[in-house]
Amino acid sequence: MSASKKCPHCGQWSGWQQNPTDRCEHCQGLLDPGAFDRQQAQVARQAEEKKHFTVDFIQINHNDPPFTKFYKSIGLGFQLAFVSIVSFILWLLALLAG
Ligand SMILES: [Zn+2]
């Protein structure tokens, strides 16, 4: 599907694939700067969320002493429980928002 859009920068009509990254054939300006900004903002937000909810899981080594293994596995259990709860809340929010 091809469409054309009037370039907001130079006023010429240009082929438009309805992608936020489409550029004017005449001046190389973005045909839909608003959509491009929204897409950039969305990408940035997703990266930010991923950073917040990425938990560094405890690594249990084979040569750890038994006691270290024991408390590390408890810590890991808490981490897994925490991640499950956070994922559940995110899923619930997505469900409610949708
Ligand atoms: Zn243009």
Side-chain angles (χ1 to χ4, degrees):
M1 191 176 118
S2 70
S4 57
K5 190 173 170 64
K6 195 175 183 180
C7 173
H9 307 284
C10 66
Q12 301 263 31
W13 288 87
S14 180
W16 185 41
Q17 307 302 312
Q18 304 188 1
N19 286 321
T21 51
D22 283 347
R23 286 175 183 275
C24 174
E25 291 161 9
H26 307 280
C27 71
Q28 301 305 309
L30 288 165
L31 286 173
D32 196 348
F36 185 74
D37 287 346
R38 281 195 298 277
Q39 196 198 38
Q40 292 299 100
Q42 197 179 8
V43 168
R45 198 168 56 233
Q46 281 170 351
E48 192 68 16
E49 282 174 7
K50 210 174 273 177
K51 205 160 62 189
H52 280 298
F53 293 111
T54 302
V55 179
D56 288 322
F57 285 109
I58 292 170
Q59 298 297 313
I60 298 175
N61 300 316
H62 289 295
N63 51 1
D64 278 341
F67 180 72
T68 308
K69 270 187 187 170
F70 177 70
Y71 82 74
K72 274 190 176 178
S73 59
I74 290 175
L76 193 62
F78 275 114
Q79 284 189 328
L80 288 172
F82 173 76
V83 169
S84 319
I85 291 164
V86 169
S87 314
F88 175 73
I89 291 168
L90 288 178
W91 172 79
L92 203 66
L93 286 176
L95 198 73
L96 291 173

